Amino acid sequence: MSKLDRRKFLKLSAGAGVASAVLPALIQKALAVEAYNVNRSIKDVQHIVILMQENRSFDHYFGTMRGVRGFGDRFPIPLESGQRAFYQSDGKKIVPPYRAHKNKSNAAFVKGTPHGFDDMQAAWNQGKYGFWPLFKTPYSMAYYTREEIPFQYALAESFTISDAYHCGVASSTDPNRVMFWSGSNFDPEKRAAGINCTDLESEPLNHRCRVRGKMPDPGYSYYGSSFKWDTIPDVLEKAGISWRIYQDPNNNWEGLMHGGLAFESFRTAQPGSPIYENGLKNWSIEDLAEHVKNNTLPQVCWVLPSKADSEHPGAPSSPYRAADFTHSVLSALISNPEVWSKTVFFLTFDENDGLFDHIPAPAVPSYNLDNTLAGKSTIDVAGMYFHDDPDAPPFRNPFEGGERRYRYQDKRDTITGNLRPWGMGPRVPLYIVSPWSKGGWVDSQVADHTSVGQFIEQRFGVTVPAISPWHRSVSSDLVSAFDFETPNDPVFPEMPDTSDHASLDAASRLLPTPAAPETPAPLYQEKGTRYSRALPYRLHTRFQALRDENKISLVFENVGKVGAVYHVYDLNHLDRIPRRYTVEAGKSLSDQWDVSPDGGAYDLEVYGPNGYFHKFSGNILSPEPDLTLEYNHRRGGLSVILQNNSSEPVELTLSSNAYQYEGPWSFRMGSGRKKKKNWLLKSSGNWYDFSVQAAGGYLRRFAGRVETGKHSVSDPAMAAHI
């Protein structure tokens, strides 16, 4: 499936509503440029160009797009209110996602929302969610469709979109850009020693990248102490790999766009030094175009937007203007087909603003109030938490009159203490644009802001030392999103013009602010699939009843090639912090739940990457069959094995909940009897969703995709129920 013929591609695109307006011929010509394919590997990539824009969540931009994990997700997490993740509360009423309609509202300038560490922690609520509009305002639930952002949709549908890419930190711009530029936003030496950082050794808010002064004279003055660990530019410089940051140093939103400004190597760089010349001088988009034209583009480049071009919600930027800026960057890159044939362009966002996203962020386990961990990890997670220490020395704040003590916890956020997981944070869009990633694919491997650094590592054989072992286990290096063996597909969607951004902005300003409607609209997502990259996951959760101890146990297994985070929600105790389990490749973990206070009853839901879902409900005091799943990773199959080890017969119903695998099948199992049912899942792209029910509230439901190492399609049942 790595090579798409014209008929297959057009069939896949049917119903997607791909915009029909045509970009200049240059773009269409560039989309037809064949990938450099000498080595048939990542070694064919000669240039990596990176643009990080501002403050959009994945659901906000692409929750309605066909073939991604958006508003049509059939397994949203449960909330303490009894609702599911899409039905958030502002403290008084439910505020589900609502469309910012371009013809009815000032959709281009949706309001910015709170997005600091304190309100992000409160909205996340250690994984409980539930009150996003309370802490982020109801504007946080606004979203777009392809009608509002046609260029962004067309870019995603021409190349590859990730629907599992998370910002690195549940906070604001600086923490995420510091992490993006270096691999960590907290001191990696302290982390390695198991010490949790305060704000003196980490970046929880917009402190250190904000600057005063002009370049080159009198130069920048900085806020807060400098970090000492190596940035990615430092790593590249030491390895002799060419790099550059294209920016106007006096129009980069007071330095906030530049994650390197938090570091000593940048702050002390002198004219003539590589860091100064490549990372602090004015290099324009025109310079970028000239370097592409002359084939002198460095091996790794970052592009920094101005405030107006940054895509930040609210004035002065907008999706229209930002699309035009992105168009200018792409136009520069593709102006020389020889260079473009060897270039990867990553476009992502630093964080989500306060804009809602429904997927629980992978993270290390949170702390309960009794100082126990809500979950486990096969990786040592000591040092992976922010320590909001009230006894720490004040933060140096020269711009605001000396020293200041910051607090990073909303007074209403009392579910846990002053040790808070750093991240990941909510999903943000990641476009993977290159000759090796064209064709409208979705990549669903979990990734975050360390992933681009890991891709640089894979290509150039360097090591970014600040990236933690936890991130290396669970965050993709993005190589799986590319087809380096047979990349040269023939047909691509057309992309809309962006040059009329000023008139679109002006028209939008005349309309009222998009606000949550009084009568909530139903959820919406386009139906259909898109081609989906093969993933390295092979996950399984096993249930064990420990009747003599009045407990149940779950065993989390990982026989895949990468680590994964399991999220477990206890529906009988949704007031509690959900447990999270990090399981490295080739390892397993187990944990127990005491069910004696509930008379033996249990009701647990387990969530993992790419729609992995298991539900375990029942009562250990009732006769219950044992269920075992077997996965056929060679042919894409699934087997359900039922064994009645109780002394009484049980009546069972096995159902296929999606994908038309016939059933239901009802049968009686006597004591000691065993039954097995097999399926090959080719007709559903290896996706499955089955359940087994019996008397006494017994329910097992299991859904996901069996990975075979071959590319497939996105979930065919996505949005089928809405």
Side-chain angles (χ1 to χ4, degrees), residues 155-162 430-434 436-443 481-482 533:
L155 189 63
E157 290 175 334
S158 296
F159 296 96
T160 295
I161 188 74
S162 168
L430 170 69
Y431 310 82
I432 302 169
V433 183
S434 77
W436 302 276
S437 57
K438 56 195 178 184
W441 293 78
V442 60
D443 180 57
F482 296 85
R533 291 297 186 191

Side-chain angles (χ1 to χ4, degrees), residues 224-239:
S225 59
S226 61
F227 294 138
K228 305 292 192 294
W229 65 88
D230 280 349
T231 65
I232 295 175
D234 292 317
V235 170
L236 297 175
E237 187 62 38
K238 291 176 182 179

Side-chain angles (χ1 to χ4, degrees), residues 451-514:
S451 296
V452 173
Q454 292 186 66
F455 185 85
I456 292 171
E457 289 182 329
Q458 291 297 322
R459 171 54 188 93
F460 294 112
V462 297
T463 298
V464 181
I467 299 176
S468 77
W470 184 87
H471 286 90
R472 292 192 182 281
S473 175
V474 303
S475 298
S476 169
D477 60 16
L478 300 177
V479 175
S480 66
F482 296 85
D483 178 5
F484 290 119
E485 293 189 4
T486 56
N488 295 313
D489 300 330
V491 179
F492 318 100
E494 295 176 341
M495 299 177 70
D497 189 9
T498 63
S499 60
D500 61 344
H501 63 90
S503 63
L504 293 171
D505 282 356
S508 186
R509 290 179 193 275
L510 300 176
L511 297 170
T513 298

Side-chain angles (χ1 to χ4, degrees), residues 494-546:
E494 295 176 341
M495 299 177 70
D497 189 9
T498 63
S499 60
D500 61 344
H501 63 90
S503 63
L504 293 171
D505 282 356
S508 186
R509 290 179 193 275
L510 300 176
L511 297 170
T513 298
E518 289 299 321
T519 302
L523 292 172
Y524 167 73
Q525 183 177 358
E526 300 166 348
K527 293 176 173 58
T529 61
R530 67 182 61 248
Y531 282 107
S532 173
R533 291 297 186 191
L535 301 178
Y537 298 118
R538 295 187 177 186
L539 308 177
H540 182 45
T541 309
R542 289 192 292 111
F543 175 90
Q544 296 176 335
L546 309 175

Side-chain angles (χ1 to χ4, degrees), residues 625 651-655 657 667 691-695 697-700:
E651 302 283 345
L652 298 174
T653 299
L654 173 59
S655 302
N657 303 305
F667 45 89
S691 60
V692 178
Q693 290 180 276
Y698 177 92
L699 172 62
R700 301 290 187 267

Side-chain angles (χ1 to χ4, degrees), residues 74-75 655-659 687-691 701-704:
R74 295 183 303 121
F75 301 107
S655 302
S656 173
N657 303 305
Y659 316 117
W687 290 88
Y688 63 91
D689 178 6
F690 296 97
S691 60
R701 187 169 182 179
F702 34 97

